[in-house]
Every structure is written in C-alpha cells, then in structure tokens.
Amino acid sequence: MKIIMLGAPGAGKGTQAKKIAEKYSVPHISTGDIFRSNIKNGTELGMKAKAFMDQGLLVPDELTCDLVVDRIGQDDCKNGYILDGFPRTIPQAEALNTALKSMGTSIDYAIDVEVQDSHIVNRMSGRRACTGCGATYHVKYNAPKAENICDACGEALVLRDDDKPETVQKRLTVYHDQTQPLIDYYKKAGVLRTVDGTLDMEDVFSAIIAILGE
Ligand code: ADP
Ligand code: AMP
C-alpha cells in the first residue's frame, strides 16, 4: 500500500499518517521530520534546509527528491509506505512518478486532508512538537498528560519556529501556489481521495479506513 498525504500545513497529515502506519504496518516517511532530524544533528543538509524552513519556504527540489527516492528504495518499503509532506511541488511528483515507474510500481492513494485556511493558524499555534522524538501534540485537541512534556519520551515540547503566526501565513501562501496543484495532478491520475480534516482526529481516521479498507 503506497500512500501520499496531501493537505495544507497543519491539516493533520502527520497525525493521520502515524495512525495509518501503525494500523497497516508500513513506514511513515515525513520529509519535515527528516529535515528536522538533520538540523538537530547539525548535518550539511540540515543547515541548508533550515535556511528555507525558517522563512516558511520549501526546501529546493534538488535537496528533497533524491532523499525520498533513496528512502523508498529501502527494504522496509517493500510492502508500501506512507509519504507525509512529499511531494509538495509538481516537479517532486514527477520525480516520484519516474522513480516508481522504474521500479514497476505506482501510488495507490493520494489522500487529501481538507481544512480551510481559517482553521490553520489555530491548529498551528496550538501544535507542540517534542524536541526528543518528534511526536506532535495540540494544547487543546491532543494535549500531553503533563504540560509541555512528551508522553512518549519525557522530553520538552516546544512551539516550532515555523508554526509562529507570521511564518504560518507564508507557508499557506506557498501551499496554495506550489502544493495545491498536486490535488488536480493526482485526481487526473485517478488516485485522489478526499477527507474532511475539520472532524475530530478519530473521525478523520475512520474516513481514511473506509477508503483503505479494514
Ligand atoms: P500536518 O502534518 O498536516 O502539518 P499535524 O498532524 O501536525 O499537521 O496537525 C497539526 C496540529 O493540529 C497538531 O497540533 C495536531 O495535534 C492537531 N490536529 C491534527 N488533526 C486534528 C483534528 N482532526 N482536530 C483537531 N486538531 C488536530
Ligand atoms: P512539515 O513538517 O511537513 O510541516 O515540513 C516543515 C518544513 O520542511 C516545510 O515548511 C518545508 O520548509 C520543509 N519541507 C518538508 N517537506 C518538504 C518537501 N517535500 N519539499 C520542500 N520542502 C519541504
């Protein structure tokens, strides 16, 4: 099962991708997580990516595509995977398509988690990310048991720099310009499915299970 999660920043792609990965036993591949882990480890890729991420811009395709193509070629991806945050541009979708074709395969589902812009700033300003394991919470909708402490690993939770309102606005503009065209791209490919991302997390997940099957 090869799945792409589409949707605006903060729509709930990561939240649902984790649940899907667990239920269907496929790896969850988040390009945002890969970049953040590179930043944390001080790699050259991390330093390059950070300059774009801090401004709410996309990391250039040439730093992103090969990374994902390498990752989906690894052994644990043989039975499928869930791509969260990739592709984000038409050239990324085309690079993925070319790589999949050469492996004799294709994407099964592109799930668009639909949330209007008016909800997004609220979602993002309440998001808290773990500095240790990357787990994500929301102060209101998915609060940790102890304030600002990760339930999973006990490390501190922080508001990501790029979740501050001024950067969120920029990320939304970038989303509409560069990523939203992918909805049409995957509709034409016949694999687009849409879920209402404004529902409760569990209801969004039920809608996804109805698409993917039990
Ligand atoms: P994305 O991966 O699309 O950027 P996240 O999955 O990190 O988005 O979700 C953004 C924020 O909204 C997080 O704080 C998350 O806990 C919260 N969230 C996710 N899905 C829902 C939902 N259905 N209802 C309310 N809050 C949600
Ligand atoms: P995310 O965790 O998916 O919200 O991603 C955080 C940031 O990482 C984005 O705002 C981009 O700057 C960068 N990023 C993640 N995935 C991609 C991608 N596929 N292409 C370009 N930039 C990306």
Side-chain angles (χ1 to χ4, degrees):
M1 186 182 285
K2 296 177 206 70
I3 304 169
I4 289 171
M5 299 303 289
L6 295 176
K13 301 180 296 294
T15 302
Q16 298 301 326
K18 272 192 197 91
K19 288 171 167 293
I20 298 169
E22 219 165 89
K23 180 170 172 70
Y24 298 95
S25 302
V26 286
H28 168 204
I29 301 171
S30 155
T31 38
D33 284 352
I34 295 172
F35 290 136
R36 281 185 289 276
S37 133
N38 273 274
I39 292 171
K40 196 172 163 191
N41 294 326
T43 70
E44 197 184 330
L45 172 65
M47 284 189 286
K48 284 184 183 161
K50 188 175 187 318
F52 296 94
M53 291 165 76
D54 283 351
Q55 295 178 70
L57 299 173
L58 295 182
V59 177
D61 292 342
E62 54 273 25
L63 294 179
T64 309
C65 293
D66 291 351
L67 183 104
V68 176
V69 170
D70 283 354
R71 180 66 189 88
I72 62 176
Q74 287 172 16
D75 259 10
D76 64 332
C77 290
K78 279 207 173 93
N79 295 324
Y81 40 81
I82 170 144
L83 291 177
D84 163 17
F86 182 94
R88 257 177 156 108
T89 64
I90 295 279
Q92 289 182 11
E94 280 171 349
L96 176 64
N97 203 17
T98 305
L100 289 174
K101 255 192 195 154
S102 75
M103 296 176 198
T105 180
S106 61
I107 288 296
D108 299 305
Y109 298 101
I111 300 177
D112 180 28
V113 183
E114 215 174 32
V115 175
Q116 303 88 312
D117 288 10
S118 54
H119 285 70
I120 294 291
V121 176
N122 183 29
R123 284 269 180 100
M124 309 281 260
S125 60
R127 173 158 65 183
R128 296 292 178 273
C130 177
T131 48
C133 69
T136 301
Y137 299 83
H138 192 283
V139 291
K140 197 156 139 202
Y141 308 121
N142 180 24
K145 292 191 182 89
E147 201 177 335
N148 286 329
I149 304 289
C150 180
D151 293 350
C153 74
E155 292 288 323
L157 302 180
V158 295
L159 174 68
R160 272 166 47 182
D161 281 341
D162 61 347
D163 281 352
K164 292 180 179 152
E166 53 285 11
T167 315
V168 170
Q169 286 302 344
K170 179 70 195 163
R171 293 172 70 195
L172 275 174
T173 306
V174 167
Y175 167 75
H176 290 300
D177 286 352
Q178 300 193 53
T179 308
Q180 208 170 17
L182 293 178
I183 294 177
D184 222 36
Y185 181 94
Y186 286 108
K187 191 189 263 176
K188 285 191 183 126
V191 295
L192 182 75
R193 303 289 185 276
T194 304
V195 293
D196 179 356
T198 61
L199 303 174
D200 284 350
M201 289 171 200
E202 287 310 321
D203 294 334
V204 179
F205 190 48
S206 300
I208 292 176
I209 293 174
I211 293 165
L212 303 179
E214 269 300 339

